[in-house]
Amino acid sequence: MASFKLSAIFTLFLTISLLHLISAARKFTESDQQLKFQYHKGPLLTGKISINLIWYGKFKPSQRAIITDFITSLSSPKQGTTTSQPSVATWWKSTEKYYQLANNKKSVNLALSLGSQILNENYSLGKSLTTNQILKLASKGQQQNAINVVLTAADVLVDGFCSSRCGTHGSSYGALVNGKRNKFAYIWVGNSETQCAGQCAWPFHQPIYGPQSAPLVAPNNDVGLDGMVINVASLLAGTVTNPFGNGYFQGPKEAPLEAASACTGVYAKGAYPGYAGDLLVDKTSGASYNANGDNGRKYLLPAIVDPKTSVCSTLV
């Protein structure tokens, strides 16, 4: 009996010690990550930038409207119009801190607008795309003062889609103009609804792995497109603050954590693995969201790292 008591006491002591070690390791890791989130002295996107959309595959007009309304919501409302708070524009303004730190200025010279849209509904490159083919599609958009966003339909396979990524952003040299090639930025995001919604459209679908929680109701009633908005938003924040691989990021350059991707899974205060946070809920539809947009839209947007504190900042 005495031996059993000693064994139980030792087990309890060992458990408490391990918990203290894990807690200390977690704090060190968080501190270490904060120190590594830094500016690498490269240029950020500036000036008037048009966001051009290249739709690859079949998308309904109502689906395209979800994305276009999000893009137009990034700018402050026009005079005479108002948007309920918290808003998409307020979320986007948090990226201004990166510019202020980089240039030691209060003003920010960046204005985004919805540019042209290209529809490729006949799958001209097939239904299985390589990274080079994504770049080929992206190059069809305007190549100066632009971000070209390739959006692939639910039945299109893309290298690395689901297995290692939900989307990506990068840059490339455009066509020769007046003897000079300029770099342009591009983004690709896939519709994951039928391929890996639990990975790329969480929390609107049961997660593929990790803590299991009930899926939330998508604010635009489209799991695939609402998931695409999350990834487009994250990649846009990464594109303007790290357009050419030498801007703001932490970790290795080949696989950087950027303004929003460093806050994966965090959407509101109180978030933890498997829980998106204390979100707003629409009383009529029961949908969860954290930002209001144009045309009465509601969206779920990722937290963005505050570069001054290296903490994930949320709208709600």
Side-chain angles (χ1 to χ4, degrees):
M1 187 68 175
S3 175
F4 173 77
K5 286 183 179 179
L6 284 171
S7 176
I9 291 171
F10 177 75
T11 300
L12 179 62
F13 173 78
L14 185 61
T15 301
I16 293 171
S17 298
L18 283 171
L19 286 174
H20 279 301
L21 283 171
I22 291 169
S23 177
R26 185 179 293 121
K27 288 177 181 176
F28 174 80
T29 300
E30 288 171 354
S31 174
D32 191 43
Q33 286 179 339
Q34 287 180 1
L35 290 172
K36 287 181 180 177
F37 199 90
Q38 59 184 294
Y39 178 42
H40 298 266
K41 307 302 180 183
L44 312 187
L45 288 190
T46 58
K48 294 181 179 180
I49 303 291
S50 62
I51 300 176
N52 305 306
L53 305 178
I54 297 99
W55 301 91
Y56 189 83
K58 299 254 192 289
F59 287 91
K60 298 175 184 175
S62 59
Q63 291 180 313
R64 295 199 297 269
I66 293 171
I67 300 289
T68 55
D69 283 347
F70 167 67
I71 300 299
T72 58
S73 300
L74 292 167
S75 303
S76 297
K78 295 178 181 177
Q79 283 189 332
T81 62
T82 58
T83 301
S84 299
Q85 294 296 328
S87 70
V88 174
T90 301
W91 171 83
W92 184 250
K93 277 184 74 69
S94 62
T95 62
E96 291 183 2
K97 293 181 180 179
Y98 290 83
Y99 288 80
Q100 292 161 356
L101 283 177
N103 302 315
N104 295 315
K105 296 179 181 178
K106 290 186 178 180
S107 61
V108 176
N109 179 28
L110 175 67
L112 299 182
S113 63
L114 177 64
S116 62
Q117 298 188 59
I118 299 172
L119 303 185
N120 189 327
E121 296 183 305
N122 63 351
Y123 304 89
S124 62
L125 300 178
K127 291 189 175 183
S128 182
L129 303 179
T130 64
T131 300
N132 285 338
Q133 287 175 315
I134 291 292
L135 178 54
K136 183 177 180 180
L137 289 170
S139 66
K140 293 182 180 298
Q142 176 186 333
Q143 295 179 0
Q144 285 186 301
N145 303 317
I147 301 172
N148 295 335
V149 183
V150 178
L151 302 160
T152 51
D155 57 350
V156 177
L157 303 174
V158 178
D159 279 355
F161 189 28
C162 297
S163 64
S164 62
R165 57 184 181 169
C166 303
T168 191
H169 81 87
S171 63
S172 180
Y173 284 98
L176 196 65
V177 178
N178 297 325
K180 184 179 179 181
R181 293 184 187 275
N182 293 307
K183 270 189 173 181
F184 71 94
Y186 69 91
I187 290 171
W188 158 72
V189 171
N191 184 341
S192 66
E193 183 176 14
T194 58
Q195 297 186 53
C196 56
Q199 181 178 337
C200 295
W202 183 86
F204 303 128
H205 191 281
Q206 198 79 16
I208 292 175
Y209 51 83
Q212 296 296 298
S213 54
L216 304 179
V217 177
N220 294 286
N221 199 33
D222 191 313
V223 170
L225 268 294
D226 278 299
M228 290 183 84
V229 168
I230 291 173
N231 294 306
V232 168
S234 178
L235 289 163
L236 271 176
T239 296
V240 300
T241 58
N242 186 33
F244 308 121
N246 53 4
Y248 281 96
F249 66 90
Q250 71 175 21
K253 184 178 180 178
E254 298 73 25
L257 288 177
E258 299 173 323
S261 63
C263 299
T264 298
V266 178
Y267 298 96
K269 288 181 174 63
Y272 55 82
Y275 179 62
D278 304 326
L279 296 167
L280 301 174
V281 178
D282 185 272
K283 293 180 180 178
T284 303
S285 65
S288 295
Y289 68 102
N290 61 7
N292 293 281
D294 288 355
N295 297 321
R297 296 276 184 193
K298 299 184 187 303
Y299 295 104
L300 184 65
L301 305 177
I304 291 181
V305 172
D306 184 330
K308 295 180 180 179
T309 61
S310 291
V311 171
C312 292
S313 178
T314 61
L315 278 173
V316 297

